[in-house]
Amino acid sequence: MDPDHSENVVDYRSLGNMPGYEWKLLRYKCRDLRLEGVYHRHLHLVSSALVIQLIVVIEILMLIHVILLFCVVKDIDFLSVLPYFAVMLLTPSILLPGRESNVEQYEVIAILGSCLMAVLLTAMDLILPISYLSSFNLIPNFDHVVIVLVYLMFPIAFVENGRAYLLGLAVSLVYFAYMTFMVNINTHDEVWELTAYGAYLIFLNMLGMSLTGFREYNMRSGILSRYQLVYQNLVLQMAMKQEKALMDSIIPATLARSLQDAIASHIEEDPSNLIPFTKTRHLFMEQHPEVSILEADMVDFTNLTTTMDVSELVAILHELFVSFDLAANHNRATRIKFLGDSYTCVTGIPSYFATHANACVNQALDMIEISREASQRRNKKIQLRVGVHSGEILAGIIGLTKWQFDIWSKDVDITNRLESSGLPGMVHISSRTLGLLDNHYVYEEGTETAKQDPLLQRSNLSTYLIRSRLPNFEDTDDFEDDNISLNDYHFRFSFTQDYEDIQVKAQRDMILEVEHMPMNRVQGCKITRPLHRMAKKDIREEYRFHLESYCLFTTFRSWKMEWSFSKMRDLLMKYSLGMMVLAGATIIAMNLLHTKEAIDYTMLFGLFLLILLALLLASYKKLWLRGRRLTPMTQPSSFLSRWLIKISNLIEKSVFVRVPLGIIVLSMLYIMSSASVFSCDIARLELQIIDSELNNLKPQMICFMPWPVTYAVIIVLSLMLVIIGIPLIIKLAVGLAILGCHMITVYAYYGFAFERSETTNVGMTSSLAHSWYLLALFIVVVVREGNLNYILKASYFMSLCFEKKHKQTKVKTRTIKIIMANILPTHVADVFKVRRRSDQLYYENFCNVAVMFATIENYKADHSGLRALHEMICYFDELLLNYQTCYKIEKIKVMGWTYLAACGLDVDHYTDLAVSVPVSANPEADKVQKSTSVRFAPMDDDDDTKSRERLPSQATLNETDNTVLVMTEFALNLLRIMRDIQSKGIFFENYSKLTGSLKIGIANGPVMAGVVGLSKPHYDIWGHTVNMASRMTSTGVLDGIHVTESTSNILQDFNIRCNFRGMTFVKGVGQVPTYLVDLDENLHFQHVSRNNDSHMGSIVSVQWLDEKRAEK
């Protein structure tokens, strides 16, 4: 899994484009992520938390009801309020036993508690009406509240397979049975009125059943959002762990922190550019005044490269370097680098310790012993020359790309001289190192070669050879990590399994996280805001959410955050409109059943059709998606369908469409619920009521029945429970408006009708009964909507935390990409990301690679000289950015003052996407820049015959030979850069001896590339070609390009003249013919043809190669 994997498991956009109910899709997602157990635990916790809220709601309703009775009923009988007091006393004892979240058999207790609570509330509501059944016809006061609470807050609603609908239907059946007994069914009017009541109860149950899906959607989205937060936090930790492991494997911790901070600052300043320090060239360098340096080299390595297969040779090097790294860890030595067969390490860094000289000599002796064992095991002559010296160093990294920790100083040069002048199988040390050693080593006088060395003479150093330790030597064994083995390094740079384990760990962490998820606002609400609210970094998210929001209406303190929350998609809006259509149909049916005179049904059906049209528009996309998924490739072909899908999307995501639509639909439904009242002839209704009272008859409602009208308004108010996408304040304002309008209807205009309807309690006026009936449900709606708003905003706040974590992860992973791109090529890094042994050799063979060594001569290895080196290497790296296309030049490393690069390693399988090459916005500037590169014209017709014979047709040129041309062009541009530096005196104006001249050597042929050793993974190349390029540099000339014969032949095929230099002695090979690329005084190639001007150059250029490749 990639480190920057950050899939949003609650992607609302894709969720809305999939067929099926959204809560079912989230259910499948939870099952795929194995979060079903976490979800059920969350249900359990929410149910336990809502118990207190349920108790509070019931207690408030009972208390208000009792207060009303005492206020409005004269000579109230205590028995008439006893049921309400009984409910207030018994409710906590019934509900609280199931509140313990860890109680055994919770589901059984929840179901039994819910059933007992339903029986208690129903009995409380019906016991008085049944007692007065012979004298009064009393309407149940809390039938709607009990049914709604069964689905909203009763514990049974949160039990899997609890079948809350059975309890809701049972309660409804009891109420319907009571109404059946209460009404004298001797006329058709009572039948239709009872039928209307049955329709009202059925709607409340269907509304409650729909709330189950809404609740599941909200809770599962909350679980998945929290899971995403936990998952992303683990990814962030893993990214930081990976970055730290990579950095620690390359450079010391103090230098690593400086580099990390610089990269992070670069990303903040220029997020689009992944190449760091292109504007400011930071020099990351540290001084270590007292260390010991080890330089080891294989004897006669050049001869081995010519007599052994490259793969076998690299396998030997890998075996040796792995063992050297293990020994280095034991001896507290820090491996700096290896170059071909050489191995460099230092003791005393990153932290100083007094016995660094002993540790370094012990490391040298261990390496000699390791090489002897390898020589016997492989039956090969493998010997080491080792030099050890103590002094000071400058350690750090230089350049823009392909960083490698390295060391510089005069003492480093002395160590190299000690190694080169030493003897195989012995440790050549300086007198300074000998003075720091104890008396545990057998040593003798140094070599004669060392005595004649000018650098050692100037430094006034004598040398000594250490053969072995004394027989009585005992390892103090006081070093850290002595018992290191391959297992300790196993998979050090392999994080794939860790990322695979993240999902499992996130699932385990969710078991703990679900315990702290916000469940209701009763948990606490901080009104006062601490002044220093960021002082505690590990503060709980719930408390942080309280800090960022006001308690009243749970509004965010930041209006931008509040507005952002309001603009969130509402994927359930179509289902809300579906319930509104069902409400409209129920209201029309109730009007048809209870209205005694014909009303304008045209208006009712017209409004209903408009609501139905809104539902069709909102749900069109979901209907179209049946059996398919909406993607850019599966868009409908019909123009009308595309526009209808756009409208569906607009209703889901636009608050400016969703909120007005919801308000308008609720207003239309209220008009439909009260249509029979508004269309009634008030004067005629008053006369009919007065006439009935004068004749001592029951008042005849010729237009409407009051209670069915109130039931219809209850239906409209209950719809606020299923509207999620409208802000709470607006929703409550609409609810209050509907409540107020009905109150005005009850008291101001049609009070004489409502006052003569049935009441809910003996002694309570009918108008007050209607008002309290509505207000009781409104209280439940306010409590529930407030709690839902709290949970949704808390979940949203968690999503903001997730986004913040996600941004941090992206920065961290981008930093890792930068580091990885500057250590290993991308295709090699991909290999190290999979699970593999860290001591396993990785290599690949290339048949024809152009290798270049460029050494800066006449330098001074002090801090000022390193600053100059850093600037020059940065210039080289900037030039390298122009060679990242089809024939890519790969920077291998910088060794001291030598720049190593190769062309031909990329082939076709390698494109480095980790680093984006900046593209100039000014084409003219690009042309000017390219003019400094090699651009050549065709040859004249009168070319030399011999030259023409040497030139094959362009079509027959070997494709791999192009790498030689590209590398030679790069080398020429390096010479031009150094000339500019010299002519302008950029670095050397104060140092007359520092000319900064370049010696460049190029060879081509087969090479092996890969990563060897146990730690500090660095891409390197080996083979006879590499050795020849190195020798071309060491035996080359200043400000010239020294090439082998095969390289010269290829260049002359491209019409670039190469002059025969003569036979050059190459160590390990003997006398070989070498050539110098012919350059004029302006540093232009000289062509093979004699009649062309020098500036015309060759027939072929890199630009021509790119053009030909594009044509193919």
Side-chain angles (χ1 to χ4, degrees):
M1 185 181 298
D2 196 81
D4 58 357
H5 175 73
S6 55
E7 177 194 2
N8 191 342
V9 295
V10 199
D11 186 356
Y12 295 99
R13 184 182 298 274
S14 62
L15 194 64
N17 292 336
M18 298 172 63
Y21 296 114
E22 280 74 7
W23 53 86
K24 286 189 176 181
L25 297 175
L26 293 181
R27 186 186 306 165
Y28 301 148
K29 190 67 176 181
C30 285
R31 289 174 181 172
D32 291 341
L33 295 174
R34 299 179 180 178
L35 296 176
E36 278 298 290
V38 174
Y39 168 71
H40 293 304
R41 175 61 178 169
H42 187 48
L43 276 178
H44 185 175
L45 294 173
V46 170
S47 173
S48 300
L50 286 180
V51 165
I52 297 297
Q53 196 174 84
L54 176 60
I55 294 173
V56 170
V57 169
I58 293 175
E59 298 290 328
I60 289 176
L61 291 177
M62 297 300 104
L63 182 61
I64 295 176
H65 191 72
V66 170
I67 292 174
L68 284 177
L69 291 179
F70 277 106
C71 291
V72 301
V73 178
K74 296 180 180 181
D75 301 327
I76 187 171
D77 186 2
F78 179 75
L79 293 177
S80 61
V81 295
L82 182 60
Y84 308 111
F85 282 114
V87 169
M88 295 173 68
L89 292 174
L90 295 177
T91 296
S93 61
I94 294 176
L95 294 176
L96 287 178
R99 185 173 181 267
E100 293 297 328
S101 57
N102 297 318
V103 67
E104 296 182 0
Q105 298 181 341
Y106 166 77
E107 294 185 357
V108 176
I109 295 176
I111 294 174
L112 290 177
S114 299
C115 293
L116 287 175
M117 201 65 227
V119 170
L120 177 64
L121 291 176
T122 306
M124 170 274 301
D125 200 22
L126 294 181
I127 190 170
L128 290 179
I130 293 175
S131 301
Y132 292 103
L133 188 59
S134 59
S135 305
F136 302 95
N137 290 337
L138 298 179
I139 298 294
N141 198 87
F142 296 104
D143 52 352
H144 56 318
V145 171
V146 177
I147 294 173
V148 169
L149 287 179
V150 166
Y151 293 98
L152 276 184
M153 297 184 181
F154 274 28
I156 193 174
F158 299 90
V159 174
E160 185 181 12
N161 300 323
R163 293 180 174 84
Y165 63 88
L166 294 179
L167 182 59
L169 291 174
V171 171
S172 302
L173 188 60
V174 170
Y175 277 108
F176 187 78
Y178 165 75
M179 293 295 289
T180 302
F181 285 108
M182 185 193 74
V183 177
N184 294 321
I185 306 178
N186 49 20
T187 64
H188 291 290
D189 293 339
E190 283 78 7
V191 173
W192 299 130
E193 185 176 353
L194 186 62
T195 306
Y197 181 72
Y200 164 67
L201 294 178
I202 291 174
F203 174 81
L204 289 180
N205 280 275
M206 295 187 68
L207 179 76
M209 294 175 193
S210 68
L211 287 174
T212 303
F214 281 59
R215 179 176 56 247
E216 182 178 1
Y217 173 84
N218 291 325
M219 295 183 68
R220 287 189 183 275
S221 62
I223 287 288
L224 291 172
S225 296
R226 176 57 69 100
Y227 170 81
Q228 183 71 67
L229 178 62
V230 172
Y231 177 86
Q232 200 63 30
N233 185 50
L234 292 174
V235 172
L236 173 63
Q237 294 175 5
M238 180 54 60
M240 296 174 67
K241 174 183 175 183
Q242 184 178 25
E243 183 184 44
K244 186 177 185 300
L246 286 171
M247 297 297 293
D248 289 348
S249 71
I250 304 168
I251 55 180
T254 55
L255 202 62
R257 284 195 295 269
S258 300
L259 183 59
Q260 285 175 294
D261 294 340
I263 293 176
S265 300
H266 159 75
I267 293 177
E268 291 179 2
E269 295 173 0
D270 189 6
S272 62
N273 184 11
L274 283 180
I275 302 178
F277 320 133
T278 53
K279 297 180 181 179
T280 58
R281 293 173 176 174
H282 299 273
L283 178 59
F284 299 95
M285 201 68 60
E286 290 181 337
Q287 185 174 9
H288 298 274
E290 189 61 39
V291 299
S292 291
I293 311 156
L294 181 152
E295 183 71 33
D297 201 359
M298 287 181 63
V299 178
D300 201 19
F301 179 74
T302 305
N303 182 56
L304 291 177
T305 62
T306 59
T307 58
M308 292 179 59
D309 183 69
V310 179
S311 60
E312 182 183 2
L313 179 62
V314 173
I316 292 175
L317 288 177
H318 180 65
E319 178 186 338
L320 289 174
F321 289 167
V322 166
S323 299
F324 292 170
D325 286 344
L326 288 172
N329 189 82
H330 173 80
N331 293 301
R332 296 177 68 181
T334 301
R335 192 249 280 177
I336 304 300
K337 62 183 177 182
F338 50 78
L339 171 59
D341 61 319
S342 67
Y343 186 95
T344 304
C345 64
V346 175
T347 56
I349 64 171
S351 59
Y352 170 80
F353 59 96
T355 58
H356 59 83
N358 290 70
C360 200
V361 172
N362 290 337
Q363 171 70 13
L365 293 173
D366 289 344
M367 291 171 61
I368 291 173
E369 183 62 28
I370 289 169
S371 63
R372 286 173 182 166
E373 293 176 357
S375 178
Q376 296 174 1
R377 186 167 54 254
R378 289 184 173 268
N379 196 23
K380 299 287 184 182
K381 187 177 181 181
I382 303 174
Q383 292 181 308
L384 286 184
R385 281 194 313 267
V386 184
V388 174
H389 175 62
S390 300
E392 65 175 2
I393 60 171
L394 292 170
I397 60 174
I398 60 175
L400 295 179
T401 61
K402 293 297 182 288
W403 302 312
Q404 185 177 16
F405 186 61
D406 208 346
I407 55 175
W408 300 265
S409 72
K410 178 182 177 181
D411 292 311
V412 175
D413 297 336
I414 291 174
T415 308
N416 289 327
R417 298 298 179 91
L418 290 171
E419 177 273 317
S420 61
S421 60
L423 294 179
M426 302 182 72
V427 184
H428 199 191
I429 66 171
S430 66
S431 55
R432 187 180 302 171
T433 301
L434 183 65
L436 297 173
L437 294 176
D438 50 29
N439 297 320
H440 291 158
Y441 303 94
V442 177
Y443 65 91
E444 61 189 52
E445 192 175 348
T447 64
E448 291 296 326
T449 306
K451 294 179 181 179
Q452 304 300 323
D453 187 275
L455 178 59
L456 296 177
Q457 289 178 351
R458 288 195 303 269
S459 303
N460 195 25
L461 291 173
S462 56
T463 64
Y464 302 88
L465 292 169
I466 293 181
R467 290 185 175 274
S468 63
R469 305 177 182 93
L470 289 174
N472 61 350
F473 173 81
E474 293 183 2
D475 195 345
T476 58
D477 201 28
D478 60 349
F479 298 140
E480 298 177 0
D481 302 328
D482 285 345
N483 299 323
I484 193 70
S485 66
L486 289 180
N487 292 332
D488 295 282
Y489 284 95
H490 204 65
F491 314 132
R492 169 165 295 189
F493 299 102
S494 177
F495 294 92
T496 299
Q497 186 63 33
D498 291 321
Y499 280 107
E500 292 173 354
D501 293 341
I502 282 180
Q503 184 170 335
V504 177
K505 191 174 188 308
Q507 293 163 358
R508 291 200 305 265
D509 288 352
M510 278 300 298
I511 298 175
L512 300 176
E513 285 292 325
V514 72
E515 306 291 333
H516 304 291
M517 290 182 63
M519 290 163 286
N520 63 41
R521 61 181 305 130
V522 179
Q523 291 171 308
C525 187
K526 304 297 183 182
I527 303 296
T528 58
R529 194 177 187 184
L531 295 177
H532 304 287
R533 56 190 178 92
M534 298 304 293
K536 299 180 180 179
K537 295 182 179 179
D538 57 347
I539 196 169
R540 289 178 57 188
E541 287 86 354
E542 181 187 351
Y543 181 64
R544 289 166 51 199
F545 172 61
H546 290 152
L547 296 178
E548 297 294 339
S549 62
Y550 294 106
C551 182
L552 187 62
F553 302 120
T554 316
T555 55
F556 289 111
R557 294 178 183 271
S558 170
W559 68 268
K560 291 183 179 179
M561 191 180 297
E562 183 70 27
W563 176 242
S564 178
F565 171 78
S566 301
K567 292 192 300 181
M568 287 180 60
R569 283 174 172 262
D570 180 17
L571 299 182
L572 303 182
M573 187 63 187
K574 49 185 167 292
Y575 304 110
S576 302
L577 288 172
M579 290 307 303
M580 292 178 184
V581 168
L582 180 61
T586 303
I587 291 172
I588 290 178
M590 291 173 65
N591 275 300
L592 290 172
L593 292 172
H594 78 82
T595 303
K596 298 186 177 181
E597 289 190 355
I599 61 174
D600 188 4
Y601 287 103
T602 304
M603 180 191 68
L604 288 180
F605 283 104
L607 294 175
F608 177 75
L609 291 177
L610 289 176
I611 300 173
L612 184 61
L613 177 62
L615 170 63
L616 293 176
L617 291 175
S619 60
Y620 181 81
K621 182 177 72 172
K622 186 61 75 173
L623 295 174
W624 187 86
L625 284 173
R626 293 181 62 186
R628 66 189 118 185
R629 181 171 181 170
L630 184 62
T631 65
M633 303 300 295
T634 59
Q635 291 287 341
S637 57
S638 170
F639 175 80
L640 179 60
S641 291
R642 289 198 299 270
W643 271 100
L644 290 175
I645 288 177
K646 286 183 178 180
I647 294 174
S648 296
N649 285 324
L650 196 62
I651 293 174
E652 284 182 356
K653 69 179 184 179
S654 176
V655 67
F656 295 107
V657 176
R658 185 172 62 244
V659 172
L661 179 62
I663 295 174
I664 292 171
V665 172
L666 286 175
S667 301
M668 290 192 295
L669 286 172
Y670 174 72
I671 293 172
M672 294 173 62
S673 66
S674 302
S676 59
V677 179
F678 297 150
S679 62
C680 182
D681 187 344
I682 299 177
R684 184 182 173 193
L685 178 61
E686 290 178 347
L687 291 175
Q688 180 65 33
I689 293 175
I690 293 172
D691 184 63
S692 300
E693 291 183 349
L694 290 175
N695 294 299
N696 294 323
L697 298 175
K698 181 180 179 181
Q700 297 295 318
M701 304 298 177
I702 60 173
C703 300
F704 62 89
M705 301 298 294
W707 277 107
V709 172
T710 299
Y711 294 153
V713 176
I714 287 291
I715 289 176
V716 179
L717 280 177
S718 65
L719 289 172
M720 291 194 298
L721 296 171
V722 295
I723 301 177
I724 309 298
I726 297 180
L728 176 62
I729 297 177
I730 298 177
K731 199 185 302 184
L732 294 182
V734 173
L736 287 173
I738 293 174
L739 192 62
C741 289
H742 193 67
M743 293 292 186
I744 294 173
T745 302
V746 170
Y747 288 99
Y749 292 98
Y750 299 92
F752 53 86
F754 284 91
E755 288 172 358
R756 288 160 177 80
S757 63
E758 294 85 355
T759 185
T760 58
N761 285 89
V762 177
M764 179 182 289
T765 62
S766 299
S767 299
L768 182 60
H770 284 273
S771 301
W772 172 233
Y773 192 86
L774 288 169
L775 189 59
L777 179 67
F778 188 72
I779 291 174
V780 174
V781 170
V782 169
V783 173
R784 189 264 183 179
E785 289 302 301
N787 180 59
L788 178 62
N789 183 63
Y790 174 87
I791 294 176
L792 292 179
K793 286 193 173 179
S795 298
Y796 176 72
F797 185 76
M798 294 303 103
S799 69
L800 295 182
C801 295
F802 152 65
E803 291 177 3
K804 183 178 180 181
K805 289 286 186 182
H806 181 60
K807 290 179 181 179
Q808 293 176 351
T809 305
K810 289 182 67 176
V811 171
K812 288 294 181 182
T813 51
R814 289 184 72 188
T815 306
I816 293 173
K817 285 183 179 181
I818 292 174
I819 297 172
M820 287 297 294
N822 286 285
I823 300 173
L824 301 173
T826 302
H827 72 290
V828 181
D830 290 340
V831 175
F832 275 77
K833 290 178 183 178
V834 299
R835 194 168 180 85
R836 59 184 295 276
R837 287 184 57 88
S838 57
D839 63 325
Q840 179 181 349
L841 172 63
Y842 169 79
Y843 68 92
E844 50 190 348
N845 292 304
F846 299 95
C847 61
N848 191 6
V849 176
V851 181
M852 182 206 73
F853 283 76
T855 300
I856 304 171
E857 298 287 340
N858 300 323
Y859 61 87
K860 185 177 180 181
D862 57 5
H863 194 277
S864 301
L866 287 180
R867 166 60 69 178
L869 172 64
H870 175 62
E871 293 291 338
M872 285 185 283
I873 297 300
C874 287
Y875 280 125
F876 296 171
D877 290 343
E878 287 176 351
L879 175 65
L880 193 70
L881 296 178
N882 297 318
Y883 293 85
Q884 303 297 304
T885 53
C886 56
Y887 298 103
K888 180 178 180 178
I889 296 179
E890 186 73 42
K891 174 185 174 184
I892 304 301
K893 56 186 171 183
V894 175
M895 307 149 293
W897 292 69
T898 300
Y899 193 92
L900 171 58
C903 183
L905 299 176
D906 48 355
V907 199
D908 293 327
H909 69 282
Y910 172 29
T911 301
D912 195 343
L913 301 177
V915 176
S916 58
V917 179
V919 179
S920 173
N922 187 353
E924 296 300 326
D926 288 343
K927 292 181 180 179
V928 173
Q929 183 179 2
K930 288 183 179 180
S931 66
T932 63
S933 300
V934 188
R935 301 184 65 187
F936 307 118
M939 298 176 59
D940 294 337
D941 294 336
D942 55 348
D943 288 336
D944 184 83
T945 304
K946 183 178 179 180
S947 299
R948 183 180 297 114
E949 290 175 356
R950 286 188 55 81
L951 288 173
S953 65
Q954 296 174 358
T956 62
L957 290 176
N958 190 344
E959 186 78 11
T960 59
D961 291 343
N962 297 332
T963 59
V964 176
L965 172 65
V966 174
M967 180 55 76
T968 308
E969 178 188 341
F970 178 72
L972 179 65
N973 282 322
L974 291 183
L975 292 176
R976 291 171 177 171
I977 288 175
M978 292 304 298
R979 171 172 288 189
D980 290 341
I981 292 174
Q982 292 172 354
S983 62
K984 297 176 182 178
I986 298 176
F987 308 123
F988 308 108
E989 56 184 1
N990 297 325
Y991 302 94
S992 58
K993 294 183 180 180
L994 302 182
T995 60
S997 301
L998 270 184
K999 286 171 60 176
I1000 298 179
I1002 298 177
N1004 74 288
V1007 301
M1008 174 179 282
V1011 178
V1012 299
L1014 190 62
S1015 61
K1016 292 183 175 60
H1018 279 288
Y1019 195 60
D1020 206 351
I1021 54 178
W1022 303 271
H1024 179 65
T1025 302
V1026 181
N1027 293 329
M1028 288 302 296
S1030 176
R1031 301 304 178 187
M1032 290 301 98
T1033 304
S1034 60
T1035 61
V1037 298
L1038 294 178
D1039 300 323
I1041 304 175
H1042 196 200
V1043 299
T1044 61
E1045 184 176 24
S1046 62
T1047 303
S1048 169
N1049 292 336
I1050 294 174
L1051 290 175
Q1052 293 190 71
D1053 287 341
F1054 285 111
N1055 198 24
I1056 296 177
R1057 181 186 297 168
C1058 297
N1059 297 325
F1060 178 65
R1061 184 188 182 192
M1063 303 300 291
T1064 304
F1065 177 76
V1066 175
K1067 184 179 179 181
V1069 179
Q1071 298 288 336
V1072 296
T1074 60
Y1075 293 78
L1076 290 172
V1077 178
D1078 193 6
L1079 304 174
D1080 64 11
E1081 60 182 9
N1082 295 320
L1083 295 180
H1084 290 114
F1085 289 132
Q1086 297 297 291
H1087 51 73
V1088 177
S1089 169
R1090 293 176 299 177
N1091 297 326
N1092 273 333
D1093 295 333
S1094 62
H1095 69 277
M1096 296 298 290
S1098 170
I1099 187 173
V1100 184
S1101 68
V1102 175
Q1103 182 182 7
W1104 178 86
L1105 292 174
D1106 291 341
E1107 293 173 355
K1108 298 301 292 182
R1109 189 180 183 93
E1111 290 177 3
K1112 291 181 181 181

